[in-house]
Amino acid sequence: MEIEKDAIWVFGKLEEEKVNPLSQKALSPARFLAENLNKKLYLFLFSEEREINREILQGLFCDKVVSVFNEKFKEAGSEAISLAFEKLVKDYSPFAVIFPLTQEALSVCGKLAGKLNLGVCVHVKDFKLKNEKIIMTRPGPCEDLLVELSLETSPLLIVLSQSHFIYKPSENAQKLPEIEILHLEVSENLPIKITKRKKIKTEENPLVKARLVLGAGCGIGDRESIEKLKRLAKLLGAEIGGTRPVCYAGLLPEERMIGISGVSISPEIYIAFGISGRIQHTAGIENAKFVVAVNTDENAPILQKADLALIGDAKKIIDCMLKKLENQ
Amino acid sequence: MAIVLCVKAVPDPEDIKFDKKEGRIVREKGTLILNPPDRHAAEIALSLKEKTGKKVIALSMGPPQAEKILKEIYSLGADELILLSDRVFAGSDALATGYILSQAIKQIKDLSFVVMGEKSIDGETGILPGILSAMLRLPLISGVREILYVSKERGLFLREQERFLEEVEVSGKAVISVKSNLEYLRPPSLKRLLKVEEVKVSVWNKEQIKADEKKVGFSGSPSKVISVFEEETLKRGEIIKEAEEKLCLKLIETLKKKGFLRGNQWK
């Protein structure tokens, strides 16, 4: 197999003949590293099927896709995948391995780190290059803090945050990648076996695709105001989301939580009512095209994210909106 | 036989402040709480105890004040409490923490399962179960929600992994990480709450777990913190300070401009 050493790898999974969308998204920051460090970019696709449909390569901006197959991936999941991946990492010593934030990727990455004694950086939302060294940014232990880290072991193991930065690849990266199909042996006898598997029927969270989202924060954190916001949302055809405290207080269901612990949204307009804007929340609105902050506090961190800030009482503004929209 | 339950004391998120001048985190009251996902892990560990008759050993790495959270686990039903506490452990990242926990677990005889929460809320987001399982050379079952069957030789667990529910069978020992969405969490026992003050917490230091000093704390941690900072001002748009009535009109105007509230029906 032709695989250059010292390359950038992305961990990917082939699910129901499709590339896991989070692995595909992870190619974007990986591309940034590959282009700036002048390294090759490979997507490793672990697959439960022997064959791969070449149509899926469309839009994968990497130099090569390595599809790795073994029957045990289906039987033993991440246990088998991590053994196979460990072997590949040892044989081809990549410069960095980038993982999307999925439970399976976390298991594989953790196993790799523990086995090979490597440091890991989890929840990375941004990279910087400084003298060929990669500096990673991730949220700190307190809500509005960010931490910059570096790793002293090689290869670098990086798990991305769900709302990491998007990088547009250069023209020459946009051609179809080569594909290599690899049937890898996993010799060890594995003590675990997946005996049944059932797809969880989930309706897609309406927040994810909403064009207009109204967000509720502690400034309107009482039942009456939330009810009014719901009325307003109905009038505007908007979806409602909230911050962690609002959801934990039971004012909105947890599926409505926006941010690191909840969903990431990308509406045309996001209106944040009474939200101070801690990073746990704002990490989920980074892809909103236009952000309106309604807040009494001129110094609230949400203002740093806002295209338009309305300094005033969110409750009164909601009342006023309702009056105008309901009275005609 | 023993079930090891790993728990973590985390700073109360409400208590953390940032000192801008010094560029460091200040914990004003120093209050520690039980990492909320670990409450779910405790439920699975204690159910395993009921089903197998094995004892539950609660294990935590942290400062002496972390005894408090171990006692909280005692009130739920744990049999033994062990605190891994040594000055050299301070500053350990996920890899060094995995090493310390694995060294401690290796000292425990007749191990069956290691149970832990799926993540901790103060930063190391979910990587530890994988690291620990690799260091102990045990399989990992992540995202467990229910014990379907357990005997001396094997266990069958229901777990949630991304979009799938899976039944996973394991023969022998394993590390189990528990999903934080269990519907039932047992309340503390009154009898145990009354005894909680007298319960002894064993404190183990680096010698007791035979840890190599080079692999723990700051020196044993390959991830190095370069700086901690508050999120910068990335963009500052138009700021309007007016009576709410006017702000409301501005908001309606903005919505219209962006293609919402189409038509003239809006006053």
Side-chain angles (χ1 to χ4, degrees), chain B residues 24-248:
Chain B
R24 65 188 183 99
I25 294 161
V26 187
R27 290 178 182 147
E28 285 179 335
K29 298 184 205 105
T31 353
L32 293 174
I33 57 164
L34 175 67
N35 176 43
D38 297 352
R39 190 70 179 71
H40 298 261
E43 185 55 40
I44 290 291
L46 293 166
S47 309
L48 278 169
K49 170 184 166 173
E50 285 163 356
K51 288 178 200 286
T52 58
K54 291 167 188 159
K55 63 177 178 188
V56 168
I57 301 175
L59 185 69
S60 185
M61 180 181 95
Q65 309 91 283
E67 274 201 4
K68 191 188 92 177
I69 64 123
L70 282 169
K71 291 191 169 184
E72 201 176 322
I73 300 293
Y74 170 82
S75 72
L76 299 171
D79 301 282
E80 284 175 37
L81 311 176
I82 301 171
L83 180 67
L84 308 174
S85 203
D86 196 312
R87 275 208 316 242
V88 299
F89 294 166
S92 295
D93 68 359
L95 187 74
T97 304
Y99 171 72
I100 294 166
L101 290 174
S102 71
Q103 282 302 109
I105 293 169
K106 283 175 189 165
Q107 314 306 316
I108 294 167
K109 285 194 194 87
D110 256 354
L111 177 78
S112 63
F113 294 110
V114 177
V115 185
M116 59 206 302
E118 61 173 341
K119 60 182 169 195
S120 73
I121 60 163
D122 64 339
E124 295 304 342
T125 38
I127 199 76
L128 197 55
I131 293 179
L132 186 58
S133 78
M135 288 185 167
L136 291 169
R137 300 289 189 264
L138 291 179
L140 168 67
I141 310 175
S142 58
V144 166
R145 279 179 37 178
E146 204 181 322
I147 308 157
L148 298 172
Y149 170 84
V150 65
S151 73
K152 221 171 176 178
E153 298 80 29
R154 63 180 203 104
L156 187 63
F157 297 91
L158 180 73
R159 69 122 165 240
E160 191 181 319
Q161 176 124 306
E162 264 76 60
R163 296 170 301 120
F164 295 99
L165 277 181
E166 294 175 342
E167 287 184 18
V168 182
E169 191 181 62
V170 64
S171 43
K173 304 170 192 178
V175 174
I176 291 169
S177 81
V178 178
K179 195 94 193 146
S180 313
N181 60 0
L182 303 191
E183 277 165 21
Y184 174 76
L185 298 174
R186 70 192 61 208
S189 122
L190 212 55
K191 219 168 103 191
R192 281 176 170 261
L193 276 177
L194 289 170
K195 279 202 292 188
V196 93
E197 288 306 315
E198 304 145 37
V199 176
K200 202 179 154 291
V201 176
S202 314
V203 180
W204 289 4
N205 60 19
K206 67 168 194 295
E207 280 85 27
Q208 274 147 307
I209 63 167
K210 303 190 175 92
D212 177 349
E213 207 173 319
K214 289 194 286 297
K215 291 186 174 177
V216 305
F218 287 107
S219 57
S221 300
S223 46
K224 302 287 177 206
V225 173
I226 298 167
S227 66
V228 180
F229 57 97
E230 271 187 306
E231 213 184 9
E232 279 172 54
T233 309
L234 296 176
K235 73 179 160 193
R236 232 183 152 94
E238 190 184 356
I239 299 177
I240 307 174
K241 209 172 160 184
E242 287 267 13
E244 275 81 4
E245 176 87 6
K246 288 213 170 133
L247 295 178
C248 173

Side-chain angles (χ1 to χ4, degrees), chain A residues 118-242:
Chain A
L118 299 173
V120 194
C121 200
V122 187
H123 251 163
V124 173
K125 55 189 298 249
D126 211 351
F127 299 126
K128 242 184 357 212
L129 290 170
K130 214 174 179 179
N131 311 329
E132 298 255 313
K133 206 172 172 179
I134 299 182
I135 298 175
M136 291 156 275
T137 310
R138 71 170 180 86
C142 149
E143 300 211 328
D144 1 341
L145 293 183
L146 291 172
V147 180
E148 278 186 336
L149 291 154
S150 67
L151 288 171
E152 291 187 340
T153 42
S154 168
L156 304 174
L157 299 183
I158 299 168
V159 184
L160 295 170
S161 143
Q162 262 184 27
S163 52
H164 54 73
F165 79 106
I166 304 292
Y167 174 73
K168 207 171 168 290
S170 65
E171 290 289 315
N172 60 14
Q174 302 192 7
K175 60 178 201 281
L176 273 189
E178 292 172 44
I179 183 157
E180 188 118 24
I181 295 178
L182 194 62
H183 294 196
L184 210 66
E185 286 299 309
V186 178
S187 54
E188 256 172 89
N189 222 345
L190 296 166
I192 97 166
K193 193 175 174 190
I194 299 166
T195 53
K196 242 187 219 171
R197 182 186 274 177
K198 197 175 92 186
K199 204 166 163 184
I200 304 173
K201 282 194 203 108
T202 44
E203 287 164 36
E204 202 186 356
N205 194 324
L207 273 176
V208 177
K209 283 196 177 152
R211 291 182 58 238
L212 177 61
V213 176
L214 311 184
C218 290
I220 58 162
D222 57 86
R223 215 160 277 283
E224 196 195 334
S225 306
I226 298 286
E227 286 313 311
K228 284 183 184 164
L229 192 68
K230 284 183 187 165
R231 259 163 60 204
L232 183 60
K234 210 167 170 192
L235 286 166
L236 295 171
E239 291 292 338
I240 286 196

Side-chain angles (χ1 to χ4, degrees), chain A residues 85-144:
Chain A
F85 206 37
E86 184 192 329
K87 189 176 180 309
L88 290 167
V89 167
K90 277 186 190 157
D91 289 351
Y92 299 100
S93 0
F95 174 78
V97 188
I98 297 176
F99 295 84
L101 189 64
T102 67
Q103 195 178 300
E104 189 168 56
L106 274 173
S107 299
V108 172
C109 178
K111 288 249 177 202
L112 207 58
K115 211 62 174 296
L116 306 177
N117 269 308
L118 299 173
V120 194
C121 200
V122 187
H123 251 163
V124 173
K125 55 189 298 249
D126 211 351
F127 299 126
K128 242 184 357 212
L129 290 170
K130 214 174 179 179
N131 311 329
E132 298 255 313
K133 206 172 172 179
I134 299 182
I135 298 175
M136 291 156 275
T137 310
R138 71 170 180 86
C142 149
E143 300 211 328
D144 1 341

